[in-house]
Amino acid sequence: IPDLLGNTVYYIAVRAFSACSYTITPHLDYGGNDTDDTVIELRNGLPVQNYVAKNEYRYFSFVNSDVTKELVISLQRQIGDPDLYVSLVDPNNVVYPTKDNSDFHSSYFEDDVVLIANPNQGLYYIGVLGYSSSMFTLVASTYEQSVQLLDGVAIIDQLNAGDESHYFINIAHYDQDLTISVTDFSGNP
C-alpha cells in the first residue's frame, strides 16, 4: 500500500474460503523489542518479540477478563526451538508453568499454539522454554479480538471455513509503503 497516512491505524481481515492455517506478515519501517528479564505482561493482541537461552525459561503474564471468547496463545520461532507452557495462576499458590507442571502446553519444533476454548477469568502465566537458544514472537489474544501487527513479525492463525480474523497496524510516519503477505500452510485463506 503506497503513500500511507501517518498516525493512522489500518485494519486488515483474512477470510477463510475453506478450513486453513496461515501466517500474516506486514513489512514496514516500524517495530519493537522487549528484553526485560522479569515477568513480561502481555496485552490482548499485541505481539512481543523476545529470546530465551537453552534450557532456560522466559515468563509472561496475561490477564483474561472475557470468559465468553477463546484464548489463543501463539508462539512463533524466528531462531531455535522454543516451547510453550501455560497455567492459570492460583493466587494462594503461585507456580510458574514448566515442562513438568503446566495446564496447557505445545512443544513442536516449529511454531506452537495453545487454544483454550473455555478460559477462566484471571491471570495466566506463560512460560517459554528454550529447548535450544531461541528468538521468538509471542501473542495472546481472545478470539474475535483484532491482533496488532508489527513490521516483519509473522502471526500464525487458523480459521474454519467462513470465519475471519482481524488485524491492525499503526502507521507512525508518512511516505511509507506497506506490504501485507498472507502465506497459506493449508486450505484457502
Side-chain angles (χ1 to χ4, degrees), residues 36-77:
D36 190 1
D37 287 332
T38 61
V39 175
I40 299 165
E41 183 179 347
L42 299 176
R43 291 186 294 166
N44 199 355
L46 182 64
V48 171
Q49 292 182 312
N50 216 298
Y51 68 94
V52 64
K54 181 179 180 177
N55 297 324
E56 298 289 327
Y57 286 90
R58 174 82 52 182
Y59 287 103
F60 301 82
S61 66
F62 180 76
V63 176
N64 185 50
S65 57
D66 190 346
V67 297
T68 65
K69 295 182 175 74
E70 293 178 334
L71 174 58
V72 179
I73 302 167
S74 173
L75 175 71
Q76 180 182 8
R77 76 176 188 97

Side-chain angles (χ1 to χ4, degrees), residues 20 29 31 39 41 46 119 141 143:
C20 63
D29 187 16
V39 175
E41 183 179 347
L46 182 64
S141 62
Y143 191 74

Side-chain angles (χ1 to χ4, degrees), residues 14-188:
V14 175
R15 182 173 183 79
F17 294 98
S18 65
C20 63
S21 62
Y22 63 92
T23 63
I24 181 169
T25 311
H27 297 282
L28 183 67
D29 187 16
Y30 173 86
N33 193 2
D34 189 345
T35 58
D36 190 1
D37 287 332
T38 61
V39 175
I40 299 165
E41 183 179 347
L42 299 176
R43 291 186 294 166
N44 199 355
L46 182 64
V48 171
Q49 292 182 312
N50 216 298
Y51 68 94
V52 64
K54 181 179 180 177
N55 297 324
E56 298 289 327
Y57 286 90
R58 174 82 52 182
Y59 287 103
F60 301 82
S61 66
F62 180 76
V63 176
N64 185 50
S65 57
D66 190 346
V67 297
T68 65
K69 295 182 175 74
E70 293 178 334
L71 174 58
V72 179
I73 302 167
S74 173
L75 175 71
Q76 180 182 8
R77 76 176 188 97
Q78 272 84 50
I79 297 170
D81 183 13
D83 294 327
L84 182 62
Y85 301 93
V86 180
S87 290
L88 179 64
V89 176
D90 177 355
N92 298 318
N93 184 25
V94 177
V95 176
Y96 292 105
T98 65
K99 180 179 178 180
D100 299 319
N101 184 20
S102 65
D103 296 331
F104 309 93
H105 72 276
S106 179
S107 55
Y108 297 103
F109 172 68
E110 292 292 324
D111 302 320
D112 292 309
V113 176
V114 167
L115 173 73
I116 305 172
N118 298 302
N120 291 321
Q121 186 172 0
L123 179 66
Y124 284 84
Y125 274 157
I126 300 158
V128 177
L129 170 64
Y131 184 80
S132 63
S133 294
S134 305
M135 293 183 68
F136 59 89
T137 301
L138 181 68
V139 63
S141 62
T142 54
Y143 191 74
E144 297 179 13
Q145 169 71 25
S146 293
V147 174
Q148 182 173 0
L149 299 174
L150 299 177
D151 180 41
V153 178
I155 301 294
I156 334 166
D157 208 346
Q158 299 178 18
L159 292 172
N160 293 318
D163 287 349
E164 289 184 357
S165 284
H166 297 96
Y167 306 90
F168 69 95
I169 186 166
N170 290 313
I171 306 301
H173 304 286
Y174 293 97
D175 301 326
Q176 294 178 323
D177 292 341
L178 173 64
T179 302
I180 301 291
S181 301
V182 176
T183 305
D184 64 322
F185 296 123
S186 66
N188 187 12

